[in-house]
Amino acid sequence: MMKKEQDTVCPIALAQRIVGDRWTILVIRELLLGNHRFEEIQAQTQATPQMLASRLKKLESDGVIERRPYNDRPPRHEYHLTDMGIALHPVLLALRAWGETWCKSKKQEIAIHYTHIPCGKNPGLGPTCKACGEVLRRQDLSAKLSKSFDAERQERTGAPGRRRDEEAQAG
């Protein structure tokens, strides 16, 4: 992260300066879901190209993501989380749990179903597995999108019928 003169020592205020807007959180969600290309991220976040480009540049300058070339002609890049960005996974798990608990009707299904790989059980919504008590780590989670969430995402990309079952990368 670039050192800037800070007018506060509050860690929440400092973190909010980096990840405190809707678009940034959605970009990080997409990177955790395994979408690394601009077009994929744009389709799922529904951000304008200008909005997305500015967020990606800011996240890169703050050290949360890095660009990696995948094509020379024309030059194209993918975006990947750095260690700093990967460390946001528990934050997104907490937002997911809060959203599932407080922002949805009881009739709506859970959007992402996890399996905790070490114990093979549903870990629940907490920061620790409800079955075995271990802290949930990104690499220890296997994720499967619900039918409705998968359909919503497929509608955005215009690719019907393709089921995404991401391993250990959902947020």
Side-chain angles (χ1 to χ4, degrees):
M1 181 173 134
M2 294 176 38
K3 295 287 180 190
K4 299 175 185 168
E5 194 165 323
Q6 299 173 349
D7 59 357
T8 183
V9 294
C10 174
I12 295 170
L14 295 171
Q16 184 274 334
R17 289 178 184 167
I18 296 173
V19 296
D21 73 80
R22 173 180 195 239
W23 303 113
T24 300
I25 292 296
L26 293 178
V27 166
I28 293 166
R29 176 199 69 192
E30 288 310 308
L31 294 171
L32 286 167
L33 282 169
N35 288 323
H36 299 285
R37 297 194 177 171
F38 188 94
E39 297 77 19
E40 296 169 332
I41 298 167
Q42 184 185 7
Q44 295 303 327
T45 62
Q46 299 182 323
T48 65
Q50 299 82 1
M51 179 74 70
L52 180 55
S54 74
R55 290 313 185 276
L56 290 169
K57 285 178 186 172
K58 183 179 182 316
L59 286 168
E60 185 178 17
S61 72
D62 286 337
V64 177
I65 66 171
E66 64 184 11
R67 288 186 323 150
R68 296 180 190 165
Y70 72 88
N71 195 25
D72 290 332
R73 291 189 184 154
R76 298 275 189 245
H77 294 87
E78 291 184 328
Y79 300 90
H80 293 266
L81 293 166
T82 62
D83 288 342
M84 180 184 188
I86 292 168
L88 285 166
H89 186 253
V91 174
L92 268 72
L93 282 179
L95 281 172
R96 169 190 173 258
W98 188 81
E100 289 287 358
T101 303
W102 298 104
C103 301
K104 293 171 67 174
S105 76
K106 299 285 185 208
K107 295 177 185 176
Q108 290 177 299
E109 65 182 326
I110 290 178
I112 301 172
H113 299 275
Y114 287 110
T115 300
H116 187 222
I117 296 167
C119 72
K121 307 271 188 201
N122 174 351
L125 294 175
T128 58
C129 179
K130 71 179 183 182
C132 70
E134 285 187 30
V135 172
L136 298 178
R137 297 179 318 151
R138 180 176 177 248
Q139 63 271 23
D140 292 339
L141 294 173
S142 172
K144 183 175 181 180
L145 303 182
S146 69
K147 289 181 182 180
S148 59
F149 191 39
D150 186 52
E152 176 185 312
R153 294 177 63 80
Q154 293 307 320
E155 188 175 308
R156 289 185 190 138
T157 61
R162 189 178 58 110
R163 184 83 181 158
R164 291 190 60 137
D165 295 335
E166 281 101 12
E167 296 281 328
Q169 295 189 18

